[in-house]
Amino acid sequence: MIDIAKADYRDPVHAQAVVTLLDAYARDPAGGGTPLAADVLAGLPEALAARPQAFSVLAFDQGRPVGLVNCIEGFSTFACRPLVNVHDVVVLPSHRGQRLAQRMLAQVEAEARVRGACKLTLEVLSGNRSALRAYEREGFAGYQLDPAFGSALFLQKKL
């Protein structure tokens, strides 16, 4: 039986689950293949707890953490309402193919609705076909305003 719950960053079990699962994702080729730094592992739960716009959803299989979705609330100026960015989605290899992402994203959507959000956003690597299919099944699609201008691209500038 898989339990899905909104994380309490101040609960030691939830805090450890967040960092353990995020580190597993970071070590995976889809997450970059590099473990998280020790200071990130030590400070992440407290840093997330200090941000009311952050929330996470965890999946536990008989008490063992097996899935994580980290979210950050943003704001849509066009809608004048919050939006929720799905920042990380993690399902351990042992539990992939069981639609855990679907169940966790349903919890994310419920929380987004409570917050009055107008939409969910996320980014996915184009080569991660299984994740892309899972997101499309949940109603996510490429973003565009006018097809003549094409689809949105996700860019970054490291500081």
Side-chain angles (χ1 to χ4, degrees):
M1 181 71 185
I2 306 289
D3 295 312
I4 308 293
K6 185 176 168 192
D8 175 354
Y9 301 125
R10 301 208 186 278
D11 176 324
V13 171
H14 285 197
Q16 187 60 50
V18 168
V19 296
T20 298
L21 289 164
L22 191 62
D23 187 54
Y25 176 46
R27 291 169 184 265
D28 189 271
T34 304
L36 295 176
D39 62 323
V40 172
L41 294 171
L44 186 60
E46 185 177 334
L48 289 170
R51 289 166 173 75
Q53 70 274 24
F55 69 94
S56 300
V57 173
L58 290 163
F60 291 94
D61 184 354
Q62 299 179 2
R64 180 177 163 247
V66 295
L68 168 70
V69 178
N70 286 325
C71 300
I72 308 291
E73 183 181 308
F75 188 77
S76 169
T77 54
F78 279 25
C80 192
R81 290 176 48 200
L83 62 83
V84 171
N85 178 256
V86 176
H87 195 67
D88 304 299
V89 178
V90 183
V91 176
L92 292 183
S94 61
H95 286 72
R96 291 181 186 158
Q98 299 178 32
R99 302 264 169 117
L100 284 186
Q102 175 187 37
R103 291 185 55 204
M104 291 187 296
L105 288 170
Q107 182 87 17
V108 167
E109 184 173 334
E111 177 65 19
R113 289 183 186 282
V114 166
R115 291 170 179 245
C118 62
K119 65 181 174 180
L120 299 176
T121 64
L122 61 76
E123 59 268 4
V124 60
L125 295 173
S126 60
N128 193 343
R129 301 276 186 224
S130 61
L132 185 55
R133 281 191 304 274
Y135 300 144
E136 288 172 341
R137 273 194 309 268
E138 295 310 305
F140 289 90
Y143 172 78
Q144 63 181 207
L145 295 172
D146 179 341
F149 284 93
S151 296
L153 301 174
F154 180 76
L155 307 175
Q156 74 173 2
K157 178 181 178 181
K158 292 193 176 195
L159 303 176

